[in-house]
Amino acid sequence: MPNYPLRAAPWRPAAPRLAAAPRLPAAPAGAWLHACRVALGLAVPGLALVVAGRPDLIIYAVFGSFAGMYGRGEPRWLRLRHQAQAGSVLLAGASIGILVAAAQAGPWLLVACAVPFAYAAAVATDGLGLNPQGPFFGIFALGALATVPPGRVSPTTGLAICAATAAFSVALGLLGGGSPASPVRHETEPGQSRLALTAAHAGRYALATAAAGSAGVLLGVDHANWAIASAVIPLAAADPGRHLRPGLPSVLRRSGHRVLGTFAGLAVTLALFAPGLDAATAALAVMALLFPTELFMARHYGLALGFFTPLILMMTQLAAPADPAVLVAFRALDTVIGVAAGILVAAVALPGTRARLLAVVR
């Protein structure tokens, strides 16, 4: 028998590639404490609403609790300042949304209010250096609360629940320390001021909001507010607080996480919408889902959406009951509409992205 030299089996070289496969990043220092603070910020007012027999009002508490999401990993007093500032942006969006709901003027008023708010909130959040970056949560509060049927609660009571929850969440932010603050680098090109860069990026948010909201209304889909909120997600990957030229891959990656994560969350939602699910249990599920949402938000956006999506749909169902299957279908459609609008604006308006998009299409 000839003595042929031994050769490695064809499957062996694959072993190093498998070992180098992408993994979920490790939780940053303090992530568990931060997620606990955020979850507690909703659990206390949420349980109070359940005990009071008003779990349907938890949507107002949810948007107040989002103030606690800001300042992740920051020193205590810087976190206090940023959470208070973020709470003000959230309350501004919530106030506008509550007034739009009380006016009962139809979805076009929602779009008309969301566009200038998107611009102002983007300027504010970027100028203040808030993290998470971008105006997403403020826009989301405006749109979601604008769809709450009037008469469920007085506008002042709804806003009071939101404001009290925000204040409680900010107070909880004093618990625990944080990492030393790292300065955020704001890059500009020669001859371009920081103010001009911020204004241009805020304009892109407003344009994406207008495009997604108008498309949603014209197509006759319910909850065009979800399309509006989804439209800002691709642009968040192009936030000037991160880098000036993020490139098309960052925008598309963020968009892919939004779509796939939302669709995974919709499957979870259908499982949770079991027959006979009472309002109190649904409210408890909303509170429970906020913890994993925040825990994974900084590690893997798509995975976090698997928890965030059922949270949003269940609080929406409590505030405005509808056929769960229809609600899930509209959430899927609005997400696609919004993400498509955001990508389109990024492709047209971001420096250098239009040429990159054409190269990808070809």
Side-chain angles (χ1 to χ4, degrees):
M1 181 175 183
N3 187 16
Y4 294 112
L6 294 177
R7 294 181 180 178
W11 49 266
R12 287 184 182 174
R17 290 196 296 269
L18 292 176
R23 296 180 180 179
L24 187 67
W32 285 83
L33 175 59
H34 181 72
C36 285
R37 285 194 301 253
V38 173
L40 186 61
L42 175 61
V44 171
L47 287 172
L49 290 172
V50 171
V51 171
R54 295 305 305 269
D56 56 310
L57 302 183
I58 197 170
I59 188 171
Y60 297 99
V62 167
F63 285 112
S65 72
F66 285 170
M69 289 184 166
Y70 289 81
R72 183 189 297 111
E74 293 179 345
R76 180 183 291 111
W77 297 109
L78 179 61
R79 181 169 62 239
L80 174 66
R81 186 180 75 192
H82 282 169
Q83 289 183 345
Q85 292 167 339
S88 299
V89 175
L90 284 165
L91 289 177
S95 301
I96 297 171
I98 290 171
L99 291 175
V100 171
Q104 304 183 53
W108 283 114
L109 178 61
L110 166 60
V111 176
C113 292
V115 172
F117 179 79
Y119 184 91
V123 171
T125 54
D126 182 58
L128 295 171
L130 301 184
N131 185 28
Q133 295 172 319
F136 170 76
F137 288 112
I139 293 173
F140 196 15
L142 189 161
L145 294 180
T147 63
V148 176
R152 184 170 289 276
V153 68
S154 70
T156 53
T157 300
L159 185 58
I161 294 172
C162 187
T165 304
F168 178 62
S169 298
V170 171
L172 287 176
L174 293 172
L175 300 176
S179 307
S182 348
V184 178
R185 294 180 60 190
H186 297 296
E187 302 178 18
T188 58
E189 291 183 337
Q192 185 179 34
S193 69
R194 172 65 190 162
L195 180 60
L197 180 63
T198 298
H201 196 58
R204 292 190 281 266
Y205 276 119
L207 182 59
T209 299
S214 300
V217 174
L218 291 173
L219 291 173
V221 297
D222 279 346
H223 293 283
N225 58 295
W226 289 337
I228 289 172
S230 294
V232 305
I233 298 302
L235 296 173
D239 195 290
R242 296 180 179 177
H243 28 227
L244 180 63
R245 293 184 183 276
L248 185 62
S250 297
V251 172
L252 295 178
R253 187 180 308 113
R254 185 76 165 180
S255 301
H257 281 191
R258 179 69 180 184
V259 173
L260 295 178
T262 297
F263 280 29
L266 293 178
V268 175
T269 304
L270 288 174
L272 291 176
F273 274 138
L277 180 69
D278 62 275
T281 303
L284 293 174
V286 169
M287 296 177 229
L289 287 165
L290 186 57
F291 176 79
T293 294
E294 181 56 26
L295 183 64
F296 291 108
M297 189 64 74
R299 300 171 64 191
H300 194 288
Y301 182 65
L303 180 59
L305 283 173
F307 301 100
F308 189 60
T309 299
L311 183 161
I312 295 305
L313 288 180
M314 295 191 82
M315 77 173 188
T316 302
Q317 178 74 344
L318 285 168
D323 182 343
V326 173
L327 196 66
V328 166
F330 278 128
R331 174 64 170 178
L333 180 57
D334 283 324
T335 296
V336 172
I337 292 172
V339 168
I343 293 174
L344 180 61
V345 170
V348 172
L350 278 176
T353 339
R354 184 169 16 180
R356 294 187 183 100
L357 180 62
L358 290 174
V360 170
V361 172
R362 290 171 184 171

